[in-house]
Amino acid sequence: MASATAAFFDLDGTLITGHMYSQILKQRMNTPMGAWRAMTYLVSHLAQAPLDKARLINRTRFFRSWVVDAAGLLKGLEVDKSGSLFTTIAEGLLATIRPDVQQLLRQHQEQGHAVVLVSGTFLPLLKEIGGRLHISHVVGTPLAERNGRYTGRLAGPFVFGEEKARQTQLYLQANGLQIDLAASYTYADRIHDLPLLQLVGHPVATYPDVELLAHARQQGWRVVGEAHA
């Protein structure tokens, strides 16, 4: 069997401008218990933002805390009844899609490439987004379940940094996808996405942060969109 070409797309900051956390917060604010958890989550994490900006705390731990603690906002939610919530959140996120990046995604689909969404976004939400974009392959952060409800914890690794590249390779292997990585593409916006970008022969810095932009220029990589902080 001949190897196929793939196109790996990051979500937040790359394909969309919105963020999972803000949409989950918006929806959970509508319930008494959810509102209390959401406010606690927001205040505690915003307090760390100035420290992160000044590079006084570990950035990986900072980003990880946003995801790990966001899982807590879903604690107690019935898995079978969570579909409508994830649908609403997906709609909110897709309202911020970047038209130019979406066009690139469609071009890969039209060429018959295997398109894969790779993101730290919670897996049930990423599957919902993938379905709406006609993407069947998604690599996201799994949520733990017990007795039919979300526990508020993760069920596996946070798909971030080096883990993005590792989980992507594991996904390809587990699903029997024969991919020619040298002929494949990755679209991502953060310096933390470097391992995933370096996994392929055609890395594309997409609306990159300053650090990734500098690296992309040094390496002669393609750049799409304007740089951001």
Side-chain angles (χ1 to χ4, degrees):
M1 181 184 295
S3 296
T5 296
F8 304 102
F9 282 82
D10 172 51
L11 185 64
D12 288 14
T14 301
L15 184 57
I16 63 174
T17 62
H19 293 280
M20 174 182 73
Y21 326 110
S22 61
Q23 288 297 321
I24 291 179
L25 282 167
K26 180 180 179 181
Q27 298 306 316
R28 299 310 281 164
M29 282 286 191
N30 294 329
T31 63
M33 181 58 73
W36 177 81
R37 286 177 178 160
M39 189 59 66
T40 301
Y41 169 89
L42 186 61
V43 171
S44 63
H45 287 82
L46 287 180
Q48 298 179 57
L51 298 176
D52 170 66
K53 189 173 183 179
R55 300 294 192 270
L56 296 176
I57 56 177
N58 183 282
R59 295 214 87 190
T60 298
R61 290 179 182 175
F62 177 66
F63 283 120
R64 177 180 171 77
S65 72
W66 279 90
V67 174
V68 173
D69 295 343
L73 298 175
L74 303 175
K75 183 177 180 179
L77 182 68
E78 292 184 60
V79 176
D80 290 344
K81 296 181 180 179
S82 64
S84 60
L85 174 64
F86 288 127
T87 294
T88 301
I89 294 172
E91 290 173 348
L93 291 174
L94 288 174
T96 72
I97 199 165
R98 297 186 191 275
D100 54 342
V101 183
Q102 183 179 23
Q103 181 60 32
L104 290 170
L105 188 153
R106 287 174 175 165
Q107 288 173 4
H108 283 290
Q109 290 175 321
E110 290 169 358
Q111 293 176 64
H113 295 166
V115 175
V116 186
L117 279 182
V118 185
S119 172
T121 298
F122 298 142
L123 193 53
L125 175 57
L126 197 61
K127 287 181 177 179
E128 178 70 28
I129 292 171
R132 288 169 176 270
L133 296 174
H134 307 292
I135 300 171
S136 57
H137 301 298
V138 298
V139 180
T141 301
L143 291 169
E145 304 171 17
R146 183 187 302 151
N147 299 325
R149 295 178 181 271
Y150 290 116
T151 68
R153 297 180 180 276
L154 303 185
F158 169 33
V159 180
F160 181 83
E162 293 183 4
E163 201 62 50
K164 261 190 180 179
R166 193 172 84 87
Q167 291 301 317
T168 296
Q169 291 174 301
L170 289 174
Y171 178 88
L172 297 178
Q173 294 169 9
N175 290 274
L177 296 175
Q178 301 295 319
I179 299 298
D180 181 354
L181 292 175
S184 296
Y185 301 75
T186 290
Y187 297 85
D189 70 312
R190 293 281 182 181
I191 191 65
H192 306 290
D193 296 315
L194 207 53
L196 185 64
L197 287 158
Q198 293 173 328
L199 192 64
V200 301
H202 301 286
V204 183
T206 310
Y207 288 87
D209 61 23
V210 174
E211 293 170 290
L212 180 56
L213 178 62
H215 184 86
R217 285 175 173 169
Q218 183 181 45
Q219 298 298 315
W221 292 354
R222 181 183 175 190
V223 177
V224 170
E226 298 180 358
H228 63 82

